Amino acid sequence: MFATVPNPIPARMKGLNRAEICDVNFSEFVKAWNGQADVRPAAEEAVLAGSALDARGFRELLESQLISRHLDLMARVLRLQNKVFYTIGSSGHEGNAMVARLTRHTDPAFLHYRSGGFMAERFRKLPGMDPVMDSALSFAASKDDPASGGRHKVWGSKPLWVLPQTSTIASHLPKALGTAIAIEAGRRLGHALPIPDDSIAVCSFGDASANHATAQTAFNAAAWTAYQKLPAPVLFVCEDNGIGISVKTPSGWIGNRFRHMDGLDYFYADGLDLAAGYGDVQRAVEHCRTTRRPTFLHLRTNRIMGHAGTDFEIEWRSIDELCRVEAGDPLLRSAAIALESGLMSKDELLALYESIRDRCFAAAEEADRRPKLESLSEVVAPLAPYSPDKVAAEAARADYDARRVEAFGGERKLPERQPPRHLAIQINNALHDIFAKYPETLLFGEDVAQKGGVYTVTKGLQKAFGPRRVFNTLLDETMILGMAQGFANVGLLPIPEIQYLAYFHNACDQIRGEAASLQFFSNNQYANPMVVRIAGLGYQRGFGGHFHNDNSITALRDIPGLVVGCPSRGDDAATMLRTLTALARVDGRVSVFLEPIALYMAKDLYEAGDGGWLTDYPPPGEAMPLGEGRVYGEGHDDLVIFTYGNGVPMSLRAAREIERAHGWKCRVVDLRWLVPLNESYIREQAASARRILIVDEGRHSAGVGEGVITAIIEGGFGARPFKRVVGVDTYTPLAGAAFMVIPGEQDIVAAAAELAG
């Protein structure tokens, strides 16, 4: 029945190897069917025997399956003509349309790339939407693509609450769980959710992806949440086709692994058979929605036509195996149901099949004629939106006096009425202020609640604002940042804490690949507004080693669209935090607030007891413009020192010694904003400098100093004598040895002496 036979197929379908065979198989199967059809149901509401699926529902699911299939076939043909740029298909996974039908369009969906059936079915949820044309625009990389504006082939839709994912390999699971947790948290806080209170988060992935460390993080966190009886209505949909590219999943692995996993409620459904699987999918969805528990739906699927258009399976799978796989095509089972039930005749079914083919090709040809992204400005437009006037106005807004008086415990205790304080205290005061200003703000991480963090920077926040807004998480940085994305998805303002900079690298992709990319890949329709607090950098005494003194921010500098601020003193910290929260609120941006641990408690500058590094608290209404540095010694041009973080007080102390030794008037420039570097500001400061020193406490390679040098040279000031004082390319050792690998004051003085020579 499934052998290739002569068949008058369109010329455009020639040369498609197994894709052509699968296409022919469907037509030949229908033509060869000789079973006995039941009497055609008298009403569309008639129920298919033994199934929870009615006739109308089946017809629509079948159509969604066929749309998904013909989009795959179209992509294989038109890719050869350079009209389509993506061929990872959904063939064999079309049963996921059942999940779409049984969930709502307001259930946030984070989808596997084989979700063509799901998307075609979800498009039915709202009138006037066209799954074929929208998908064709995405395949063609047209800037009219409503999902990404031509930046990637993604399954996504703002009105349908499908948040665009790229080629996700499990990285979307933490934020899906985070969104489920956020739905419940937002409801308990009285926050006006953008979706119904009983929504669930839907997250699909393949059986191979289920083994990924990031997936395991999400499963563990879901079970951890359920163990504490905290609601987390996430529907994990594992579309098990038994293979990952070319590596087979051991038979029974997914069922054995997850059927008895404590904290995940397991359901199985046959995704190859709409009649058999529909009721089981329905039970899983209803269970998740009513119990609010993490639910694992093990959906049996198949993968036909290979991993992608470039995967010639015949080179590594036997023909017998391929034929067995293709015989399990879910479209053949759907065709059999349509024929056996009398819902459709052979001619009706074939006519529907060909009409959808024509519809998909017509849409693709139209999409090819639509405009593409043609300029760099168009490409990067949604990457880092910035409305400076609105951000400045929001940062300076101070219309919450009553709430802040309550938060600080009375008028007399307001921080601006207190004596000058050190950095840790002023960050703490600024966080209290932000929580009073924005009732939707949440702060969470390891040890941040009762303890107030390792360095007590968040002390008192939970007492002032309650455990629903300030809470501890499990020890898992990936999940902390996944939850932050979830909270952002439902309109809350998360301030997650990563306990040490070295720990960020465990979870970097949640920012680099997920949070910071969402505006770009959704054409700024979705955003993950958040301020990530990270304690880091070196110079701690008595508590050392690499994992508590990581001085490299290279991984942060590499993330497109990210903003990184690094204060060196308390007043700057407060005004910088106000700007970052306003930036999140107004433009939906992701930022990192990098807190120099060694300066948390610093009080003195030049000598013990001088209090030179204590600052007053800036009252509400004062904020730091994005990119603005601070200058010490304005107008002093003999030597200009560019630095940040710990380098600022070090450079100020060194500057005194340099002035005594050489008679130079020194200017110290605290960059404050490290990503993106304000190149025009750097050049402005360099323009009048006779000599330049760059003091970078990071490592020699790929540090901030390289960016400063580049800005200076490209600005035409490279002829000025300059030197760089920078850390060594090594991990930080323990105890006193640590200070051998990072810059010190005497290194700055020595570099100035070289410039003098």
Side-chain angles (χ1 to χ4, degrees), residues 30 326 441:
V30 173
E326 290 157 2
T441 305

Side-chain angles (χ1 to χ4, degrees), residues 348-371:
E348 288 172 328
L349 188 53
L350 290 172
L352 177 63
Y353 188 75
E354 293 303 325
S355 69
I356 292 177
R357 184 203 305 277
D358 292 342
R359 183 180 164 195
C360 289
F361 271 94
E365 295 293 348
E366 170 61 24
D368 182 57
R369 292 189 288 270
R370 297 285 188 91

Side-chain angles (χ1 to χ4, degrees), residues 60-61 64 97-107 118-131 157 159-162 278 285 289:
E60 292 181 346
L61 283 171
S64 294
M98 293 186 288
V99 181
R101 187 171 190 86
L102 288 162
T103 54
R104 305 170 184 162
H105 79 277
T106 49
D107 290 330
F118 182 103
M119 287 301 297
E121 185 63 27
R122 184 164 272 206
F123 267 83
R124 298 181 188 280
K125 303 286 186 178
L126 291 177
M129 301 194 72
D130 183 355
S157 170
L160 295 176
W161 270 93
V162 179
Y278 191 82
V285 172
R289 196 177 305 281

Side-chain angles (χ1 to χ4, degrees), residues 85-86 137-154 164-167 371-384 517-525:
F85 303 95
Y86 192 87
L137 290 166
S138 188
F139 276 110
S142 167
K143 71 178 182 181
D144 291 342
D145 164 28
S148 76
R151 288 166 187 83
H152 203 284
K153 162 62 187 73
V154 296
Q165 311 299 304
T166 57
S167 295
K372 304 290 193 295
L373 294 169
E374 295 178 346
S375 69
L376 176 61
S377 60
E378 281 185 307
V379 171
V380 301
L383 173 64
S517 73
L518 184 58
Q519 285 179 288
F520 182 78
F521 286 121
S522 71
N523 202 15
N524 202 25
Q525 297 176 86

